[in-house]
Amino acid sequence: MIICKTTHILKQTIAKAKNKDIIGFVPTMGALHQGHLTLINESKQKATLTVCSIFVNPTQFNDKKDFEKYPITLEQDIFLLAQAGCDILFLPHVQEVYPDGLQKLSYYPLDYLEEILEGKYRKGHFQGVCNVVEKLLKMVEPSILFLGQKDYQQCMVITKLVQLMQWNNKLQINIVPTIRETSGLAMSSRNARLSDTAKQQATAIYTALQFIQNNIKHTPIALLVEQASKILLDAGFEKIDYVSICRADNLLPVEVYQPTENYVALIAAFINNVRLIDNLLLSNNR
Ligand code: PAF
């Protein structure tokens, strides 16, 4: 695996690579786990050259403390990526990504997508995500972008970004299902900040999502949300940002269940002072 720290070297390395016909790109913020490695694996199957980036993007953290506490495990990440067969690791410094500083950011008209769910609780988060992803895409110029379904709303925002940039024709987005521990807990870099007890309690997110999935056909939405929230609070979650049931294609909230529609249930809640998110597609055919 070749490690590139500047855009210049990255572009040169890609240009020289023999197998650059289909470039697969996996953008990450490091602290890699099996979820990320599954994205690398998908890229290895579908692309001829796999590029991964590790960059903890300061502009997407609305909470400075969250940024400072973000886990960094670079040595292990490099080992895992090399073992997984990643071809190129892009490891830029902040000045490389933001040469004009962190204040001069682009604005993306994301519409209601940045007002709801994560956007409501993490003001400016998706603008930061779009800023960094646009820059990384211009640097790597991939044919396929691999994203994890765990960040469901982020997948939708990046899909919108790609439309706004008019890259639909040259860039395919491949969304890979969430990888879970055997307990059901969705893999996340933030899990590293949980105690063993909290990790066990945190499985209640998946229990609550499954509860929604099993009961959506015959329970009013408001009651489902109330009962799922109770599952979280009873398990020891300190605070719930949202338990929401939305249309899977546009994330608009659902009031009445329609058997012909596809839905997604999404949760964001705090345990052990760590904010966890997860989601589950509720449609019959998934
Ligand atoms: O999902 C992430 O890890 C980040 O939001 C991303 C897409 C790498 C952008 O910084």
Side-chain angles (χ1 to χ4, degrees):
M1 181 173 74
I2 302 176
I3 301 179
C4 306
K5 294 195 173 174
T6 67
T7 315
H8 178 71
I9 302 280
L10 173 75
K11 285 195 178 280
Q12 227 175 37
T13 308
I14 293 176
K16 274 195 216 146
K18 274 190 236 122
N19 313 326
K20 56 176 183 288
D21 301 348
I22 308 171
I23 301 174
F25 179 41
V26 180
T28 81
M29 298 205 298
L32 302 183
H33 49 70
Q34 196 51 47
H36 297 111
L37 299 177
T38 306
L39 299 181
I40 298 288
N41 213 21
E42 280 289 310
S43 175
K44 301 262 321 153
Q45 313 269 324
K46 301 204 164 109
T48 51
L49 186 80
T50 294
V51 180
C52 173
S53 65
I54 296 182
F55 178 66
V56 185
N57 174 34
T59 68
Q60 72 186 74
F61 287 84
N62 53 320
D63 177 356
K64 199 166 167 260
K65 280 202 196 112
D66 194 26
F67 175 57
E68 282 158 6
K69 280 193 258 169
Y70 203 82
I72 310 246
T73 55
L74 189 55
E75 237 174 85
Q76 184 180 315
D77 292 349
I78 293 173
F79 173 78
L80 290 174
L81 286 174
Q83 208 182 35
C86 176
D87 298 299
I88 298 175
L89 168 60
F90 184 41
L91 202 57
H93 196 262
V94 71
Q95 276 94 348
E96 189 67 26
V97 180
Y98 293 101
D100 300 327
L102 296 176
Q103 305 306 325
K104 272 200 177 166
L105 299 180
S106 302
Y107 171 77
Y108 303 85
L110 299 174
D111 200 9
Y112 72 92
L113 265 187
E114 67 172 332
E115 306 297 334
I116 58 169
L117 305 166
E118 288 304 283
K120 178 171 167 195
Y121 290 92
R122 302 184 69 192
K123 292 279 174 220
H125 168 65
F126 287 127
Q127 289 295 327
V129 169
C130 286
N131 268 274
V132 78
V133 172
E134 181 185 357
K135 287 168 189 294
L136 291 171
L137 289 176
K138 283 182 173 160
M139 293 166 179
V140 178
E141 298 186 81
S143 315
I144 318 177
L145 175 64
F146 293 88
L147 299 170
Q149 190 205 308
K150 177 167 166 293
D151 296 301
Y152 195 92
Q153 192 175 3
Q154 171 170 277
C155 293
M156 213 161 259
V157 164
I158 295 177
T159 304
K160 170 117 186 168
L161 167 75
V162 169
Q163 281 160 8
L164 288 171
M165 306 319 294
Q166 300 184 331
W167 287 337
N168 318 38
N169 292 337
K170 56 176 183 179
L171 179 65
Q172 186 190 320
I173 297 183
N174 204 312
I175 298 172
V176 179
T178 305
I179 303 296
R180 300 181 181 281
E181 309 272 0
T182 37
S183 66
L185 179 64
M187 297 220 179
S188 163
S189 305
R190 285 165 202 267
N191 293 353
R193 285 168 49 200
L194 295 174
S195 67
D196 286 347
T197 313
K199 240 183 221 167
Q200 189 48 45
Q201 291 168 300
T203 60
I205 293 201
Y206 191 50
T207 311
L209 289 169
Q210 285 178 309
F211 175 82
I212 294 172
Q213 187 175 52
N214 294 337
N215 293 286
I216 189 161
K217 285 187 190 143
H218 48 80
T219 313
I221 300 291
L223 184 60
L224 259 187
V225 168
E226 192 184 310
Q227 290 172 337
S229 303
K230 188 170 180 312
I231 292 175
L232 298 176
L233 295 173
D234 286 351
F237 273 84
E238 296 127 27
K239 190 174 146 220
I240 299 172
D241 274 351
Y242 56 80
V243 171
S244 196
I245 303 168
C246 300
R247 272 184 50 174
D249 58 346
N250 57 16
L251 280 181
L252 289 174
V254 178
E255 267 147 44
V256 180
Y257 173 79
Q258 306 279 351
T260 49
E261 287 289 350
N262 288 331
Y263 299 113
V264 58
L266 306 104
I267 290 178
F270 287 83
I271 193 147
N272 235 198
N273 267 324
V274 180
R275 187 174 185 277
L276 299 178
I277 62 169
D278 197 357
N279 65 79
L280 195 62
L281 285 162
L282 306 176
S283 45
N284 297 329
N285 52 355
R286 292 190 212 228

